[in-house]
Amino acid sequence: MHCEARGNPPPTYRWYINQTEVDAETDYRYSFIEGNLIITNASEMTDYGKYQCKAENSFGTVLSREAFLQFAYLSAFSSKTRGGVSVREGQGVVLMCAPPPHSPEILYSWVFNEFPSFVAEDSRRFISQDTGNLYISKVQPSDVGSYICLVKNTVTNERVLSPPTPLTLKTDGVMGEYEPKIEVHFPTSVLAAKGVTVRLECFSLGNPVPTITWRKINGNIPKKARLRKSQAVLEIPNIQLEDSGTYECKAENPRGGTAFKGHLQVYTLPQWVRMINDTQMDSGEKLQWECKAMGRPRPTYRWLRNGLPLTSEGRLEVVHGEVTIHKVQPVDSGMYQCVAENKYGVIYSNAELKILASAPVFVHNPMRVIATLGKDISLECKPRASPKPRIMWKRGNRRIQPTKRIMLLRNNTLRIVNSSRADEGNYVCQAENHLGSAEMTAILWVKDAMRVELSPRKVEVTVGESVVLSCKATHDTSLEVAFQWFFNLKPINFQQDGAHFEYIQTVRARQSSTVDLMIRNILLKHAGRYGCRAQTSADTVAAEAELLVRGPPGPPGVVIVEEITDTTATLSWTRGLDNHSPIRTYNLQARSPFSLGWQTVRTDPDPVTGDMESAMAVDLNPWVEYEFRVVASNAIGTGDPSAFSRGVRTKEAVPSVAPANVSGGNGRRHELVISWEPVSEEFQNGEGFGYIVAFRANGTRGWKEKMVTSADSTTYKYRDETFPPLTPFEVKVGVYNNKGDGPFSKVVIIHSAEGEPREAPSDMKVYSISSSEIRVTWKPPNPGPGRPQGYEVSYWKDMEQEESGKKQRTVKNETSLVLTGLEGNSLYLITVKGFNKIGQGPATAAVTAKTKKAPPAQPPTNLMWIQEGNNVSLSWDPVKANDNESDVIGYKVLIKQEGRGHNQVTRTINPSTMLSLPEGGTYIIEVRALSEGGEGAVRSQVRVVTSSGVRAKSNQCSLHFLSQTLTCTALVLLLLVP
């Protein structure tokens, strides 16, 4: 996994798998080379999932995009013999491939009789790359033979063959002509990424062989599209948003035709429209960053600072794609990331915010390095500095020049290859930039390599026994050594597993150190490989030993189902290994599509002793497919289970479980809606399962019974216009199957439906508020059945169709609503209707309303102001509205005092006003026009500093350049002060 980040100092890296940090010290399979993660002997069990890299240095942290690692594989087909298929000549047939487990996609082809004779596709024969099945629309005598499905993994190129499927012709006649039947087609909804190639399949059986045609509903099929496989495949390359729509394939022959429709929708990954850039600022300034991306669906935004989520707090404001920091401080320095994402992708925009610069500084000085003789040495030089300093390495008073054995890497690390005793000594790294310089001394010692011995290397024990493993490290006398024990490559937690593992520290000799691992009360799970890792400041060395454990029995042999009834199954098996301890009992377990894994079943006899090889499982459910397995136990414990038996189905019986939670209500007027929880297939006890719905009006005698033949049904609706709303009924629901009728549920009372609203709201009124808003009010309909639970307001522009308009719903039963986002000076038609959870009621007659004209776009110009003490006289040129704008009815003057949140507003009908500023300070004054359509634009501002005894006059000074405005004011004041 490659990860590279630019930074100064050079960044360090961390990797995360499924949000868990990778620790290369505790798992030898992981290693790092700079930012790259290397996985040795990668496996799906431990390495499958999402990966993300984190890069950081002293200036901040950034996260990489996520990468997903999956493993390609292709299992073998089941070796079970496939049954033959026999059809009449002229009849259509589908041969099932049933591919084995695989990842990722596979390619399908079919072999006829023997490899490499492949089935050729034409208008009569088609191989679906979605299902893998072979479809023959009209079978001919030449089609008789053996068919083999061949699948190929697109990544590994591995191929496997299925068992053969024989195809034969029946001898009882030839199939007559019949109309087409579409057997394979694309989904009703197809999602595709912009730019990919979309492949839509459609193939039909029929006699004569049908012809396939394609069309796009309400549009034309793209010119770039191609028809493949005798028009059974529509292929659209480089799919674009305009290619979205509903596509139809049609199959026809002289006997008739049939069609299928599906919708193709194109999505796009987020793409940047505006990104953030590196910024350097002084303390106290205001930072504003905005990022913007486009995509379908529309992306959402989140912000990160140094890899952590950023939310609004204090000086920090985060709103969607915008972040603002008021009065930045050195603590705000770091790496910022704007993340835009939708359900199909994530993109990152990175920028550094730098507040301060600094001369080079070394955090660790001096640096002491102990290395192993003959190995490579890396002396790092990582000063904190900005800008990037110049680096020079020295030994003594001489500058180090690169050689074949001594190299200066790009990250300023001094690398010494094949170290020797002569390399010992002091090395100086000198760093310098325009702000200063600093030095760091690295003191290097070179020591002999360490050796580690673990004994015994291989040992066998019985469950419950104890064993001692001894680890001896021979090392340099001047070095301290630390030991760590591992079990199957994972560190042993002596606190958590203290009941079984004990760390024993022995006395250190002159040139060696020894530690022991005591394993007490050994269990089967303790079998495996044990590692001892010895570590000094110069070297790390490990050794391994293998522990074998004797224990509970092995799995019994093949389990066979000898006899099956509706509630019992007679099983037989063969004995497995007893692992040197006689088998005492067997435990029979069963699994069905309805069980949570394997469950122990009752047996006859009970218990099943160790000398038996058959028993009967009892109390099973009728008409359920079971698999069985057997587990053996001895004095040491319980062993692994046997392989499970073939699946067998118990025989049918009358249902014994009634539906639960019978209830109802709702529905449309004159409807009685009855609902229940469906009986699980586990308790249906046979084929032909259905429900008997019985009901009668409260107080009557005779029951009405209706049959519901679908086992998955949960609702029955009975309609009778003679009974009024909310009529009470007695209701019960029973069950039946081909074996007979089962029990009914308890009788419950259910009321008929209240229905949807029956009347439209009344007294509807509309008011134009501004150029973009209209208020709508109404009164609810008269009380009665079908009470509204809310209201829906529909509105559309004049000269447009109602169907193209927009809708807004109220919160609960509010009887007013403000429509926003409307176009100015436009005529709208508006209706209101009530709704509840049953449906919608009738709408009011459409009422028209016209929005006001837009406010003037031209701001006040030629601002003039005269200051005398704390009083300011302000005037400007009148604003004239255009024909398509609202007339000016006055002006709004906004006064803001710097450093305070309170604003003062003055309104006037004249193009002038007198302001009194009671408090000393700095004020900013804005002027804008007022109209029925709203407030006009503002362009100019006046900045006033109040002080007594000063009279000043100034022409317009735009605040587009704040420093220029302040300079202009200061100069005028200076000239007029006596």
Side-chain angles (χ1 to χ4, degrees):
M1 294 279 187
H2 180 68
C3 180
E4 182 178 0
R6 296 188 303 272
N8 181 31
T12 57
Y13 300 87
R14 298 182 184 179
W15 278 89
Y16 295 83
I17 303 177
N18 298 323
Q19 300 182 344
T20 300
E21 184 174 355
V22 175
D23 189 351
E25 292 184 359
T26 60
D27 194 336
Y28 296 124
R29 299 182 311 107
Y30 298 117
S31 59
F32 301 110
I33 297 181
E34 295 183 345
N36 300 328
L37 170 64
I38 298 175
I39 307 175
T40 305
N41 295 328
S43 69
E44 184 173 10
M45 180 176 297
T46 56
D47 302 318
Y48 174 93
K50 289 183 179 179
Y51 286 70
Q52 192 169 34
C53 170
K54 178 190 286 186
E56 58 185 338
N57 65 9
S58 56
F59 287 94
T61 302
V62 291
L63 295 176
S64 73
R65 65 179 180 88
E66 291 182 338
F68 191 76
L69 175 62
Q70 56 184 354
F71 291 77
Y73 68 92
L74 176 60
S75 303
F77 279 91
S78 169
S79 59
K80 183 178 179 181
T81 302
R82 297 193 173 189
V85 178
S86 183
V87 296
R88 293 187 180 92
E89 180 181 349
Q91 187 178 353
V93 70
V94 180
L95 300 182
M96 313 298 286
C97 179
H102 59 273
S103 177
E105 297 79 16
I106 55 178
L107 297 177
Y108 299 89
S109 56
W110 281 78
V111 176
F112 182 56
N113 287 333
E114 61 182 7
F115 188 89
S117 176
F118 289 93
V119 174
E121 295 178 80
D122 50 27
S123 61
R124 196 173 59 84
R125 293 171 294 190
F126 177 71
I127 300 172
S128 171
Q129 294 303 317
D130 290 334
T131 66
N133 301 333
L134 170 61
Y135 301 83
I136 305 177
S137 64
K138 174 186 173 183
V139 174
Q140 299 175 356
S142 60
D143 296 323
V144 172
S146 181
Y147 290 82
I148 300 171
C149 181
L150 184 148
V151 296
K152 175 184 175 182
N153 190 297
T154 57
V155 175
T156 65
N157 290 324
E158 182 182 5
R159 301 184 182 189
V160 292
L161 296 170
S162 73
T165 301
L167 176 63
T168 60
L169 287 182
K170 293 182 178 179
T171 60
D172 56 353
V174 177
M175 183 75 173
E177 293 184 354
Y178 63 98
E179 63 182 7
K181 178 185 178 184
I182 294 178
E183 279 293 336
V184 60
H185 55 74
F186 55 98
T188 55
S189 180
V190 179
L191 283 175
K194 178 182 176 183
V196 304
T197 296
V198 173
R199 190 175 183 274
L200 305 179
E201 293 185 351
C202 183
F203 188 77
S204 172
L205 308 186
N207 185 6
V209 175
T211 300
I212 305 294
T213 57
W214 294 82
R215 73 185 182 107
K216 183 181 180 184
I217 309 298
N218 297 328
N220 297 320
I221 291 181
K223 293 182 179 180
K224 60 189 174 183
R226 297 290 181 268
L227 291 173
R228 312 284 189 193
K229 306 288 185 69
S230 298
Q231 303 191 81
V233 175
L234 175 64
E235 197 173 84
I236 308 175
N238 190 24
I239 196 80
Q240 299 297 314
L241 295 176
E242 58 267 22
D243 299 328
S244 299
T246 301
Y247 288 77
E248 178 190 78
C249 74
K250 190 172 185 180
E252 296 176 292
N253 70 4
R255 303 295 296 181
T258 184
F260 176 82
K261 296 177 183 178
H263 187 74
L264 172 61
Q265 183 176 347
V266 180
Y267 64 83
T268 61
L269 306 178
Q271 290 182 319
W272 286 121
V273 176
R274 183 180 298 118
M275 304 174 67
I276 58 175
N277 298 309
D278 293 343
T279 302
Q280 182 172 343
M281 307 185 75
D282 294 328
S283 295
E285 291 186 343
K286 177 182 177 181
L287 170 72
Q288 281 188 304
W289 266 334
E290 180 185 11
C291 63
K292 188 175 182 181
M294 62 180 182
R296 178 180 291 186
R298 180 180 298 173
T300 59
Y301 302 89
R302 53 188 173 91
W303 287 83
L304 305 174
R305 176 166 63 192
N306 292 330
L308 299 176
L310 205 59
T311 57
S312 297
E313 182 180 4
R315 298 177 295 106
L316 178 66
E317 297 176 6
V318 179
V319 181
H320 303 303
E322 298 183 12
V323 64
T324 302
I325 305 179
H326 300 276
K327 296 183 179 180
V328 295
Q329 299 177 4
V331 295
D332 300 321
S333 299
M335 293 303 301
Y336 290 74
Q337 293 179 282
C338 177
V339 186
E341 57 189 336
N342 62 20
K343 65 186 294 185
Y344 300 108
V346 183
I347 54 176
Y348 292 74
S349 177
N350 308 332
E352 178 188 4
L353 177 61
K354 183 180 294 184
I355 306 301
L356 295 175
S358 64
V361 174
F362 288 95
V363 177
H364 303 290
N365 192 14
M367 179 176 65
R368 294 172 174 81
V369 178
I370 302 176
T372 301
L373 184 67
K375 293 189 177 181
D376 297 348
I377 303 171
S378 293
L379 302 180
E380 294 183 340
C381 181
K382 294 183 176 181
R384 291 184 179 176
S386 180
K388 183 178 180 181
R390 296 179 297 277
I391 301 296
M392 181 177 68
W393 279 93
K394 298 187 298 183
R395 188 176 185 185
N397 295 324
R398 299 181 62 183
R399 181 173 181 172
I400 297 176
Q401 299 297 330
T403 64
K404 291 183 178 180
R405 204 173 66 85
I406 300 178
M407 295 169 284
L408 181 60
L409 305 183
R410 288 186 178 181
N411 62 358
N412 301 319
T413 297
L414 185 65
R415 189 172 182 82
I416 304 174
V417 179
N418 191 19
S419 60
S420 65
R421 297 284 189 184
D423 295 320
E424 291 187 328
N426 293 350
Y427 295 79
V428 176
C429 173
Q430 186 178 66
E432 181 179 1
N433 65 13
H434 71 278
L435 296 174
S437 62
E439 290 186 347
M440 182 273 297
T441 300
I443 306 172
L444 174 64
W445 290 280
V446 180
K447 304 295 184 179
D448 291 332
M450 178 172 55
R451 299 190 309 275
V452 174
E453 298 178 4
L454 182 58
S455 61
R457 298 293 299 275
K458 185 174 183 179
V459 61
E460 293 186 14
V461 295
T462 300
V463 169
E465 295 181 346
S466 301
V467 70
V468 175
L469 301 179
S470 181
C471 181
K472 179 180 179 181
T474 304
H475 56 88
D476 188 284
T477 56
S478 64
L479 299 178
E480 293 292 332
V481 62
F483 292 90
Q484 188 173 15
W485 287 96
F486 293 83
F487 174 46
N488 290 335
L489 301 180
K490 294 183 178 180
I492 296 176
N493 187 328
F494 289 95
Q495 291 183 346
Q496 180 178 338
D497 300 322
H500 296 284
F501 297 110
E502 181 182 354
Y503 184 101
I504 302 175
Q505 179 78 53
T506 59
V507 179
R508 175 177 172 177
R510 185 171 177 273
Q511 291 185 335
S512 66
S513 299
T514 304
V515 296
D516 293 338
L517 173 65
M518 167 74 79
I519 310 174
R520 295 190 180 91
N521 191 22
I522 291 175
L523 304 176
L524 281 175
K525 67 178 183 178
H526 295 138
R529 302 195 66 81
Y530 287 80
C532 171
R533 185 171 73 182
Q535 183 174 7
T536 66
S537 54
D539 203 2
T540 300
V541 182
E544 281 193 346
E546 184 178 8
L547 177 64
L548 303 178
V549 180
R550 296 183 293 266
V558 177
V559 177
I560 299 174
V561 181
E562 303 284 357
E563 185 179 355
I564 193 80
T565 69
D566 59 344
T567 59
T568 67
T570 302
L571 311 179
S572 66
W573 61 90
T574 56
R575 293 172 58 86
L577 298 175
D578 62 9
N579 288 335
H580 314 293
S581 177
I583 296 174
R584 291 184 174 180
T585 59
Y586 288 101
N587 181 269
L588 274 59
Q589 298 178 347
R591 177 175 67 180
S592 74
F594 315 106
S595 64
L596 297 175
W598 291 95
Q599 304 291 328
T600 298
V601 296
R602 294 184 58 191
T603 59
D604 183 15
D606 183 17
V608 181
T609 57
D611 58 347
M612 302 178 65
E613 294 186 12
S614 68
M616 179 184 293
V618 299
D619 293 343
L620 305 178
N621 288 329
W623 198 241
V624 172
E625 186 168 309
Y626 286 96
E627 295 170 328
F628 298 94
R629 70 181 187 183
V630 180
V631 181
S633 300
N634 61 13
I636 298 176
T638 300
D640 293 330
S642 68
F644 53 85
S645 70
R646 64 179 177 87
V648 294
R649 185 182 288 273
T650 51
K651 297 187 181 300
E652 294 180 279
V654 174
S656 57
V657 176
N661 295 329
V662 177
S663 60
N666 300 325
R668 297 188 176 275
R669 285 194 302 274
H670 308 302
E671 280 186 352
L672 173 64
V673 179
I674 302 169
S675 60
W676 60 89
E677 286 187 8
V679 175
S680 167
E681 186 180 348
E682 181 179 8
F683 303 107
Q684 293 176 6
N685 291 7
E687 289 187 317
F689 182 86
Y691 301 94
I692 304 171
V693 181
F695 55 93
R696 64 185 179 188
N698 205 4
T700 61
R701 302 185 63 182
W703 290 91
K704 289 186 179 180
E705 292 189 352
K706 299 294 182 180
M707 307 289 284
V708 179
T709 58
S710 173
D712 298 325
S713 295
T714 60
T715 304
Y716 175 76
K717 295 181 180 179
Y718 175 72
R719 183 174 181 82
D720 187 342
E721 296 188 0
T722 62
F723 57 77
L726 302 177
T727 299
F729 282 82
E730 292 181 290
V731 177
K732 59 183 180 179
V733 181
V735 291
Y736 71 92
N737 64 15
N738 289 347
K739 284 289 186 177
D741 294 348
F744 274 92
S745 66
K746 293 182 179 179
V747 175
V748 297
I749 301 299
I750 299 175
H751 291 80
S752 61
E754 182 179 16
E756 67 275 6
R758 304 175 62 180
E759 296 182 8
S762 62
D763 197 19
M764 175 183 167
K765 296 179 181 179
V766 295
Y767 309 90
S768 178
I769 300 177
S770 68
S771 61
S772 62
E773 297 174 312
I774 293 177
R775 175 180 294 277
V776 186
T777 64
W778 60 90
K779 292 182 179 178
N782 295 323
R787 293 164 295 181
Q789 296 175 340
Y791 297 91
E792 181 178 272
V793 180
S794 301
Y795 57 99
W796 63 97
K797 290 178 65 176
D798 191 22
M799 306 302 292
E800 292 183 353
Q801 297 296 323
E802 180 179 357
E803 292 75 13
S804 63
K806 298 182 179 179
K807 296 177 174 60
Q808 283 186 229
R809 287 193 168 188
T810 63
V811 178
K812 297 184 178 179
N813 271 323
E814 293 181 356
T815 56
S816 65
L817 187 69
V818 176
L819 303 178
T820 60
L822 307 178
E823 294 185 15
N825 197 27
S826 299
L827 185 64
Y828 283 86
L829 285 82
I830 305 170
T831 64
V832 181
K833 65 177 70 171
F835 68 88
N836 57 23
K837 58 186 176 181
I838 307 304
Q840 295 181 338
T844 62
V847 177
T848 60
K850 188 174 184 179
T851 54
K852 299 183 184 299
K853 294 181 181 180
Q858 177 67 34
T861 58
N862 294 329
L863 265 70
M864 299 285 292
W865 56 270
I866 298 175
Q867 178 185 358
E868 187 168 3
N870 292 341
N871 297 321
V872 175
S873 176
L874 189 66
S875 63
W876 57 89
D877 289 349
V879 175
K880 294 183 178 180
N882 295 328
D883 292 340
N884 61 344
E885 296 176 338
S886 297
D887 292 336
V888 176
I889 59 176
Y891 299 91
K892 173 183 174 181
V893 181
L894 176 68
I895 306 151
K896 296 185 288 188
Q897 183 176 2
E898 288 189 346
R900 296 196 177 185
H902 178 69
N903 297 332
Q904 179 181 344
V905 177
T906 299
R907 289 180 171 81
T908 177
I909 62 174
N910 301 314
S912 63
T913 187
M914 175 67 73
L915 305 176
S916 177
L917 309 177
E919 294 188 40
T922 301
Y923 294 85
I924 295 175
I925 303 173
E926 297 177 352
V927 182
R928 66 183 76 206
L930 296 175
S931 71
E932 288 187 343
E935 296 181 359
V938 61
R939 178 184 298 167
S940 302
Q941 294 179 330
V942 171
R943 180 184 294 267
V944 176
V945 180
T946 60
S947 57
S948 61
V950 178
R951 180 178 179 84
K953 180 176 182 179
S954 173
N955 290 324
Q956 176 184 356
C957 289
S958 173
L959 204 60
H960 287 301
F961 301 97
L962 181 60
S963 59
Q964 182 180 354
T965 303
L966 293 174
T967 303
C968 178
T969 304
L971 286 174
V972 174
L973 291 173
L974 179 63
L975 293 173
L976 296 179
V977 173

